[in-house]
Amino acid sequence: MTDILDDLAWRGLIAQSTDIDALRASMNEGPITVYCGFDPTAPSLHVGNLVPLLTLTRIQRAGHHVVGLVGGATGLIGDPSGKSEERALNSTEVVAEWVQRIRVQVEKFLDLSDASGSVLVSNLDWTAGLSTIDFLRDVGKHFPVNRMLARESVSARLAGEGLSYTEFSYQILQANDYLELHRRFGCTLQIGGSDQWGNITAGCDLIRRVEGGHVHALTVPLITKADGTKFGKTAGGAVWLDPELTSPYAFYQFWLNSDDRDVVKFLKIFSFRSREEIEALEKSASDRPAAREAQRALAEEFTTLLHGADECAAVIAASGALFGQGSLTELPERTLAAALAEVPRTTVPALGASYVDLLAESGVVESKSAARRAVKEGGAYLNNTRVTDEAYVPAAEDLLHGRFLVLRRGKRSVGGVEVAAG
């Protein structure tokens, strides 16, 4: 087996560990079982969840067994970590639906074949039948309240808006998950985001108290961007793994638009390329930043991994065609619609306005005079065909898929028009 801990360290994926040398020795003795949990607090995972999920995938590829846990129980409670106020509780029906959706996403990254020795579970399986009395007697008695109150996430909430007993109990539920997975599958390592450190080490302590066992904790860092903005957020909100919430085109563009200062870090964290390949891309990013080779490699690899090679090829084609480097007429309607959703655009009830009016209304240019100037200077395009007549009125035969027009000024400024009653 490869030394996965060295690889994780090189990739900047180790934030905290209980005893890294003891963990290394345990891994060197043979395969261990590792788990990571994902709560269904939304109908989809987002790109921030990929940091621990891909770390779990790397550990599995290094020869170890993994347990993916979707929190059917903990998702009903709410984790106070990293939150300034109480989370609104979702119904059991909603959480159950989200559990199934997230299971499908996790399955894309893990090998869950019988031969892998790995599984995907829900903690509702062992929590639903646990009575309150048994929970308090068998689990709760092992948690000193003073230690729970000292946790940073708890003390911060108590100093502000306060904390319900529901969320206060979250740590005990997660610790019990570790104990249960230790018993069922011999799990000896839990990984998670660095904001989960208190919850994970509580599980280690519970196993020591109840079973006398020695287990490990390891966290991955919460990713930040060089410009200070939150990783995984765009102007439109979070970047989701569900293609209905974030289109494959938008997903591809998210990675393609990575800051030069961030792209090598993102390659290490999110790419499965080797160290040598990443170092070659790092050199390219340094020597030829305008080529954006590293960003393209990252966007293509990850879009293919999540959405498949055909979908990735379609969004790459759309990305080029929008800027005059391919045929717009050959793009699938869904892909074109997703691409236009990422650029300035407008919706009109019917055809009839001139190209100049539409160019200004879409936001590609700031005014009609700027639109007329673009036409005069030869830099105005409709569906990648140059427009030379200021008075030209797009007709029905110009519509792509009977509803779209692609407008462009020069090489880089693109917008769209959707005709509602095409």
Side-chain angles (χ1 to χ4, degrees):
M1 289 183 290
T2 61
D3 193 325
I4 182 62
L5 294 179
D6 284 346
D7 183 61
L8 295 181
W10 175 76
R11 293 176 183 275
L13 283 170
I14 299 178
Q16 301 148 302
S17 176
T18 43
D19 187 335
I20 198 73
D21 292 331
L23 176 59
R24 187 189 305 276
S26 178
M27 287 180 148
N28 287 340
E29 289 175 0
I32 68 169
T33 300
V34 186
Y35 108 86
C36 184
F38 305 91
D39 273 350
T41 57
S44 170
L45 297 178
H46 54 75
V47 292
N49 298 127
L50 288 171
V51 184
L53 178 53
L54 292 179
T55 301
L56 192 65
T57 305
R58 295 183 197 282
I59 292 172
Q60 183 181 49
R61 293 186 178 188
H64 300 281
H65 309 308
V66 300
V67 177
L69 183 148
V70 182
T74 43
L76 291 166
I77 300 302
D79 182 2
S81 300
K83 297 174 179 63
S84 60
E85 58 186 20
E86 195 88 2
R87 177 191 287 128
L89 298 180
N90 295 298
S91 70
T92 55
E93 293 79 12
V94 167
V95 171
E97 179 191 345
W98 290 356
V99 164
Q100 294 307 312
R101 293 170 65 126
I102 290 173
R103 284 182 68 99
V104 171
Q105 293 176 346
V106 173
E107 287 172 349
K108 288 187 175 183
F109 296 90
L110 302 179
D111 175 9
L112 299 174
S113 64
D114 292 342
S116 72
S118 300
V119 293
L120 183 60
V121 298
S122 168
N123 55 18
L124 191 63
D125 294 345
W126 55 83
T127 307
L130 185 62
S131 74
T132 303
I133 296 298
D134 289 341
F135 178 69
L136 293 175
R137 282 177 57 85
D138 298 338
V139 182
K141 69 179 180 181
H142 296 291
F143 286 81
V145 171
N146 60 333
R147 188 179 300 174
M148 294 177 70
L149 289 172
R151 284 192 58 206
E152 182 179 349
S153 61
V154 172
S155 59
R157 287 280 292 276
L158 292 176
E161 296 295 321
L163 181 69
S164 73
Y165 181 73
T166 301
E167 288 198 356
F168 184 63
S169 303
Y170 184 95
Q171 177 185 162
I172 305 178
L173 287 175
Q174 183 169 329
N176 187 53
D177 289 343
Y178 200 171
L179 174 61
E180 189 67 29
L181 294 176
H182 179 67
R183 287 169 168 168
R184 292 188 178 206
F185 305 109
C187 186
T188 56
L189 172 63
Q190 182 184 173
I191 66 171
S194 57
D195 60 341
Q196 294 294 306
W197 178 250
N199 293 337
I200 299 175
T201 53
C204 295
D205 189 55
L206 179 62
I207 292 170
R208 179 185 60 79
R209 289 169 180 263
V210 175
E211 300 286 325
H214 178 70
V215 295
H216 305 278
L218 185 147
T219 64
V220 296
L222 301 180
I223 306 304
T224 56
K225 294 168 68 174
D227 63 5
T229 60
K230 190 171 182 178
F231 172 77
K233 294 286 187 180
T234 68
V239 180
W240 304 100
L241 305 195
D242 189 323
E244 299 302 318
L245 298 177
T246 297
S247 71
Y249 182 89
F251 187 82
Y252 178 86
Q253 291 295 321
F254 170 77
W255 300 106
L256 185 64
N257 293 328
S258 298
D259 192 303
D260 288 340
R261 296 168 294 176
D262 289 322
V263 67
V264 174
K265 177 173 73 173
F266 290 173
L267 279 166
K268 290 179 178 180
I269 293 171
F270 297 103
S271 172
F272 287 99
R273 293 172 187 266
S274 68
R275 182 169 183 166
E276 292 73 22
E277 290 173 308
I278 291 174
E279 288 175 344
L281 288 168
E282 181 177 17
K283 187 174 188 306
S284 172
S286 175
D287 295 346
R288 303 180 303 279
R292 300 186 71 77
E293 183 181 356
Q295 283 90 340
R296 293 181 190 280
L298 178 61
E300 183 172 351
E301 178 183 357
F302 222 119
T303 306
T304 299
L305 180 64
L306 182 62
H307 297 298
D310 290 345
E311 193 69 68
C312 182
V315 300
I316 291 173
S319 185
L322 234 60
F323 294 91
Q325 299 168 7
S327 172
L328 289 166
T329 59
E330 295 179 5
L331 297 180
E333 182 175 359
R334 182 169 62 92
T335 304
L336 179 59
L340 291 179
E342 301 301 312
V343 299
R345 63 195 184 281
T346 187
T347 300
V348 297
L351 293 171
S354 70
Y355 172 84
V356 164
D357 289 340
L358 293 174
L359 193 64
E361 189 175 338
S362 68
V364 175
V365 295
E366 64 276 10
S367 64
K368 292 182 183 179
S369 60
R372 285 190 287 269
R373 187 163 57 251
V375 173
K376 287 181 180 178
E377 293 174 352
Y381 296 85
L382 172 65
N383 299 340
N384 289 340
T385 298
R386 181 177 281 114
V387 175
T388 58
D389 181 3
E390 292 181 26
Y392 182 73
V393 176
E397 55 266 27
D398 292 318
L399 293 174
L400 300 168
H401 299 291
R403 55 191 280 228
F404 297 118
L405 298 172
V406 177
L407 314 177
R408 178 161 53 90
R409 180 190 64 177
K411 294 182 178 180
R412 297 184 178 275
S413 299
V414 174
V417 174
E418 180 174 359
V419 181

